[in-house]
Amino acid sequence: MVPIIRVESLTKVYKGETKPAVDAISLEILEGEVYGLLGPNGAGKTTTINMLTTRLSSTRGKASVGGHDINRESMAIRRIIGVVPQDLTADEDLSGRENLLLVASFYDVPKKTAAERASKLLNMVDLADAADKHVREYSGGMRKRLELIIGLINEPRVLFLDEPTLGLDVQTRSVMWDYITTLKRDYNMTIILTSHYLEEIDALADRVSIVDHGKIIVTGTPGELKASLKGDIVTMGFRDGQDTAPVKEYGGIIEILDSKPGTLKIRVADADSELPDLMGFVFKKGISITTLSVQKPSLDEVFLRYTGRSLREDAPADRFKNAMNMRRMRQA
Ligand SMILES: Nc1ncnc2c1ncn2[C@@H]1O[C@H](COP(=O)(O)OP(=O)(O)OP(=O)(O)O)[C@@H](O)[C@H]1O
Ligand SMILES: [Mg+2]
């Protein structure tokens, strides 16, 4: 299968900077794939998306979308892509429907077709009732839904979603996930999605690249990445004052992750089948356990493993709120 997006050593060094924001990334995305870019603040996700959507020039390397070169054929690319940028772009003084029709006119969609598509899309994201209200009256979740369908008004083959659920509550987020899943299933749309949320990538993406400091650190299916951790984590808590060193001699330990007086965190191949053995071993050494927990690998852990940091150190929800407030203030 021919990739619909090819990226080769793509690099961006912003004017006046020395360190690249995007540092020689390479990837290939197949038609119909949902491809995730996962990384913390400043990793280079938006910069990558902006280059691929021809909003930003690249410094080095090359990339094509639908066979069109990002530097030389930007118009051809813009016709086949939809973009839902990280920043909110809808005009607050227009209604949701007016925003859609405006963007449709940029794409030269005939008026009648545009009106039909707008109604259909507004229905799809349950905005039919709010369609003719000013966007300034929309809630954060309504705005994100509107932004999503603005990206769909030209019926794109490839959709770029930059943080589609940033700052949304858990319920609204899962509603967005349903819409995104529908696009993949019913329209075979290729979707490039950036996110801070591991659960989101896990739920939606066929493949994911973890990015950090402008570089791709690892690429695979969420399942492959989790499997690369090889095993489950078992955390044991012991009654105070015992010598628990003998537990570390247990043969099934792949790795000791943490060892403090009173607790031991280890990795074993498969906790489900090994726990009875492990418990028997500990019991035979005359050590008593007070707490026990098993953790299956998560993308969170994959991230930690490859970057040495936790993704949760960010507070994306607050950033989003600030962005919304700034915008309101600017326009007040
Ligand atoms: N216009 C600009 N000029 C100079 N530096 C920039 C510009 N835009 C972004 N950067 C820098 O480039 C790096 C990558 O930023 P980018 O916005 O691509 O990251 P991101 O992964 O999208 O982050 P976030 O999760 O916060 O959206 C950061 O160090 C950022 O400060
Ligand atoms: Mg970004």
Side-chain angles (χ1 to χ4, degrees):
M1 209 168 158
V2 184
I4 193 161
I5 296 182
R6 285 173 190 271
V7 178
E8 226 184 289
S9 300
L10 193 64
T11 299
K12 178 68 188 181
V13 183
Y14 282 106
K15 220 175 169 173
E17 303 284 328
T18 45
K19 203 175 153 289
V22 169
D23 195 354
I25 65 162
S26 299
L27 52 91
E28 290 192 338
I29 301 176
L30 302 177
E31 182 134 36
E33 246 188 329
V34 177
Y35 198 98
L37 292 177
L38 177 71
N41 288 152
K45 305 181 295 295
T46 298
T47 304
T48 303
I49 297 279
N50 287 351
M51 287 190 284
L52 294 179
T53 57
T54 77
R55 294 159 171 242
L56 183 71
S57 64
S58 57
T59 310
R60 280 188 293 281
K62 53 183 182 182
S64 65
V65 178
H68 307 291
D69 184 284
I70 55 164
N71 294 318
R72 287 179 285 113
E73 298 166 278
S74 60
M75 285 318 291
I77 292 179
R78 286 177 188 214
R79 266 196 291 277
I80 60 161
I81 63 170
V83 189
V84 181
Q86 180 168 351
D87 300 324
L88 301 172
T89 56
D91 188 330
E92 299 198 311
D93 294 324
L94 299 178
S95 70
R97 193 191 307 278
E98 286 166 340
N99 268 287
L100 286 163
L101 297 178
L102 181 67
V103 176
S105 73
F106 298 155
Y107 285 107
D108 297 323
V109 180
K111 276 209 168 90
K112 188 161 170 281
T113 313
E116 284 164 9
R117 273 189 208 165
S119 295
K120 196 171 146 216
L121 290 170
L122 286 159
N123 259 326
M124 181 186 104
V125 295
D126 294 311
L127 283 177
D129 290 344
D132 299 304
K133 279 192 187 150
H134 279 156
V135 169
R136 68 169 72 256
E137 293 167 39
Y138 283 20
S139 69
M142 289 163 81
R143 286 203 63 155
K144 275 291 200 188
R145 270 139 64 199
L146 177 65
E147 299 283 341
L148 174 67
I149 59 174
I150 288 176
L152 293 170
I153 194 74
N154 62 328
E155 299 196 329
R157 273 173 74 198
V158 183
L159 181 67
F160 291 86
L161 298 173
D162 198 0
E163 312 268 2
T165 66
L166 190 62
L168 300 183
D169 61 70
V170 177
Q171 264 154 352
T172 320
R173 201 184 299 163
S174 81
V175 171
M176 286 291 274
W177 292 0
D178 288 344
Y179 297 137
I180 295 167
T181 312
T182 307
L183 294 174
K184 176 185 162 65
R185 194 188 54 219
D186 296 351
Y187 300 91
N188 193 36
M189 205 175 278
T190 307
I191 299 173
I192 295 90
L193 168 88
T194 78
S195 187
H196 280 82
Y197 299 119
L198 297 141
E199 314 86 283
E200 181 154 296
I201 295 293
D202 219 355
L204 297 175
D206 299 311
R207 283 194 301 147
V208 53
S209 289
I210 292 182
V211 283
D212 198 20
H213 299 302
K215 289 197 168 74
I216 290 182
I217 301 201
V218 61
T219 295
T221 67
E224 281 165 1
L225 295 188
K226 286 188 276 187
S228 73
L229 291 177
K230 293 192 187 66
D232 304 335
I233 295 175
V234 177
T235 308
M236 289 166 278
F238 305 104
R239 195 184 303 140
D240 287 346
Q242 301 181 96
D243 175 16
T244 55
V247 181
K248 295 184 196 166
E249 290 156 22
Y250 174 66
I253 296 179
I254 295 176
E255 188 182 1
I256 293 175
L257 299 163
D258 196 15
S259 169
K260 286 197 284 272
T263 63
L264 181 65
K265 193 170 174 180
I266 58 171
R267 192 187 300 284
V268 299
D270 176 19
D272 296 340
S273 63
E274 270 184 78
L275 269 191
D277 272 359
L278 174 62
M279 292 302 100
F281 181 85
V282 174
F283 182 74
K284 255 197 230 146
K285 300 276 178 194
I287 296 166
S288 36
I289 289 181
T290 51
T291 59
L292 178 68
S293 71
V294 173
Q295 200 186 331
K296 296 276 174 186
S298 66
L299 271 185
D300 209 357
E301 245 200 286
V302 175
F303 189 83
L304 184 66
R305 159 63 71 99
Y306 286 102
T307 67
R309 296 199 313 283
S310 165
L311 249 190
R312 312 229 180 258
E313 285 157 15
D314 294 337
D318 293 342
R319 288 196 311 130
F320 177 74
K321 268 191 212 131
N322 289 341
M324 292 263 295
N325 292 340
M326 298 270 285
R327 202 181 165 88
R328 292 224 164 98
M329 266 155 49
R330 238 188 9 248
Q331 297 192 337

